[in-house]
Amino acid sequence: MFEPVLTRNIHRPDSEKISVYLAHGGYQAARKALTLAPEEIIEMVKRSGLRGRGGAGFPAGVKWGFMPRDADVQKIVAVNTDEGEPGTFKDREIVESDPHQVIEGVIIAAYAVGASRAYVYIRGEFFLGVKRWIKAIADAYEHGYLGENILGSGLNLDMSVHRGAGAYICGEETAMLESLEGKRGNPRLKPPYPAQTGLFGLPTLVHNIETLTCIPNIIERGSAWFAGIGTEESKGPKIFSVSGHVKHPGNYELPLGIPLREIIYEHAGGIRGGQKLKAIIPGGTSTPMLTADQIDVPMAFETLKQVGSELGTGAIIVMDESTCMVEAARRLSKFFAHESCGRCTPCRIGSQRIFEILDRMEHGKGKTGDIDLILELVQGIDGQTFCPMGAMLVNPPRSAIQRFREEFEYHITHKCCLVDAMDG
Amino acid sequence: MILENKEYPPAVVNPRRRSRLLAALYIAQEQYGWLGPDAIQRVADRLGLTPGQVKSTASFYTMFKLEPLGKYRIQVCEGLSCYLVGGAEPIIDHVAKRLNIKPGETTPDGKFTLEIVQCLAACGTAPALRVNDELCENMTPENIDELIEQLRQE
Ligand SMILES: Cc1cc2nc3c(=O)[nH]c(=O)nc-3n(C[C@H](O)[C@H](O)[C@H](O)COP(=O)(O)O)c2cc1C
Ligand code: SF4
Ligand code: FES
């Protein structure tokens, strides 16, 4: 039987309070970690197989290993709570209901890589989250888990909260660093990576908050326990946000590798209204769509790649047979057209053009050749942009056309929707 | 290499001080109601920046108001998850009808502004909208009427 750990506290009354966290074993992992050698902790995180939960899936332990070891350079941990990928709502729940578990992860990470300063970046819209972060950090200082000489270990760590102000791209790690420096959130060119040159030019370890939530659990239960959950290349528990046409939308903490079918039908209660399943976005808006016959795929980094998609943030959007795929692609493309930071032309102009074409198609004004035009734009964007946003924004239109091409053709030739036509 | 203690000549922007810009803009917006020329100037003076630098940064972020907006800023989500469960246009149209304005507009009494946004990370409790800093989930035409009535009376 799988036992949730990342979300084990969230259903307790007042779960966000330090007293509740402490009463249920909170900060014991930090105590333990501070008695270990930093190298030992990095080795544990490496052996656990933990991969980043912010979307890219980079091995966490390897990233910790990239941080320079010299003691006279100040190092930083930057905490990514910017969650803006449509379909994803796990990070908001973590910070609102269990911020101390994240702080504990930050303490352990800071100790392991030798950082003395942590910055939390939180999406501007998450006002309750901002308040919860501020309170949690203040309480952690008061109880001696932040500040000078933490728990007598010699570790000094200061932590503060920085509120974003409404820009999806600031979730991209280098754009987040720009924003933390008080600038426009334009991504930086990589390399150099943040571990070399990050915030204020200092080595910076950037993590998503779900990744950090895994850390105290790895310290407490061991790397073997963590690596024992999941598949060959995807280890540990994962929070899946499920939304759309399911009976019970919500966040579900489950082992990586669980079949998509099981999440939709056993945990989220199946399709609402007795309709048939049509399409699924498995990892947040920027990941390619899947069709109903692909739902036996295990939810893991490598297996989703095999079927032409990605795990992304693990946010599952479920669409039943009443959904028009042209409209779905149009809506998703509108988001990216709006959120392009504008730095490079393929993304700024290309995303806008794709949206315009889908918009006219949806409104009965599609032209012959529009599908090829979109695919041509996709080609001109994918791999041609400054940051990964370009490669992300082409996924919804490209995958919708690949898998539901007849619906796009129908829209163009009949000036109306195939789904509506079938409904009679 | 601790930047905090470094002395900066007057012409050079102190990076740690600049990093307070977003927070300063929030405070100025709260005090002035919106980020007009006076507010921008004040922030610039405080942080040792030019008004151009401050305005350029502020204009990148949708939560900063570079024009006066209504007392209540209603932001309706038009994301896919909200749309799938009956949100987006039906909700936007309903709010628009109740307030008698179009998206992007402010009511003549200066009380409400209606805006469209995408994804408030409440897709599991969709349809969602925000009123200023408050998130409202599971919205229906009925509870929107209640909400607007309540805001009108405040
Ligand atoms: C356009 C774009 C948006 C992103 N948004 C987020 C986000 O909101 N939250 C997040 O944690 N990571 C986001 N990422 C991923 C980050 O760049 C980075 O990989 C992550 O924060 C690293 O943490 P992790 O290794 O713990 O996943 C985004 C990436 C891109 C390209
Ligand atoms: S790809 Fe898009 S988001 Fe990324 S830098 Fe270029 S314009 Fe900005
Ligand atoms: S799509 Fe509306 S809250 Fe996410």
Side-chain angles (χ1 to χ4, degrees), chain B residues 127-148:
Chain B
L129 58 79
R130 261 163 57 85
V131 179
N132 294 347
D133 277 327
E134 201 181 324
L135 179 66
C136 308
E137 297 154 280
N138 299 308
M139 297 315 285
T140 59
E142 293 75 42
N143 59 25
I144 285 174
D145 287 347
E146 261 170 60
L147 174 74
I148 291 176

Side-chain angles (χ1 to χ4, degrees), chain A residues 52-56 58 63 80 82-84 91 168-169 171-173 206-208 211 388-389 392:
Chain A
R53 305 298 198 228
F58 194 81
K63 192 147 84 178
N80 194 340
D82 197 47
E83 187 171 65
D91 295 346
Y168 167 70
I169 194 60
E172 193 282 328
E173 56 186 7
V206 183
H207 269 310
N208 169 264
T211 316
M389 175 90 149
M392 289 158 72

Side-chain angles (χ1 to χ4, degrees), chain B residues 77 79 81-82 119-123:
Chain B
C77 174
S81 302
C82 283
C119 201
L120 298 166
C123 329

Side-chain angles (χ1 to χ4, degrees), chain A residues 168-169 172 175 185-188 336 339-349 351 381 384-391 393, chain B residues 60:
Chain A
Y168 167 70
I169 194 60
E172 193 282 328
N186 293 118
R188 298 175 182 171
F336 288 111
E339 296 298 342
S340 166
C341 87
R343 174 166 218 154
C344 48
T345 320
C347 171
R348 183 184 64 243
I349 308 286
S351 61
I381 299 168
Q384 314 292 327
T385 57
F386 196 82
C387 89
M389 175 90 149
L393 77 90
Chain B
F60 187 83

Side-chain angles (χ1 to χ4, degrees), chain A residues 245-247 265 269-277 320-322:
Chain A
H245 291 141
V246 288
K247 283 201 191 109
Y265 285 95
I271 313 302
R272 60 183 225 178
Q275 298 266 43
K276 257 174 63 192
L277 177 66
D320 71 19
E321 58 191 346
S322 72

Side-chain angles (χ1 to χ4, degrees), chain A residues 74 87 89 92 119 123-125 163-166 179-185 200 243 245 327 331 334-335, chain B residues 3 16 18-19 21 26 56 59-63 78 81 83-84 88-89 118-119 121 123-124 130 133 135:
Chain A
Q74 190 188 12
F89 48 95
R92 185 169 68 83
Y119 289 84
R123 184 173 169 187
E125 284 89 343
R163 187 181 179 194
S179 187
L180 274 171
E181 291 182 6
K183 300 176 190 155
R184 295 167 66 90
F200 307 123
S243 67
H245 291 141
E327 171 55 21
R331 205 166 276 273
K334 186 175 180 188
F335 170 77
Chain B
L3 292 167
R16 299 263 178 170
R18 166 141 197 173
S19 75
L21 179 52
Y26 271 118
S56 155
S59 68
F60 187 83
Y61 299 94
T62 55
M63 291 181 68
E78 64 161 356
S81 302
Y83 161 77
L84 289 174
E89 287 69 22
Q118 253 206 44
C119 201
C123 329
R130 261 163 57 85
D133 277 327
L135 179 66

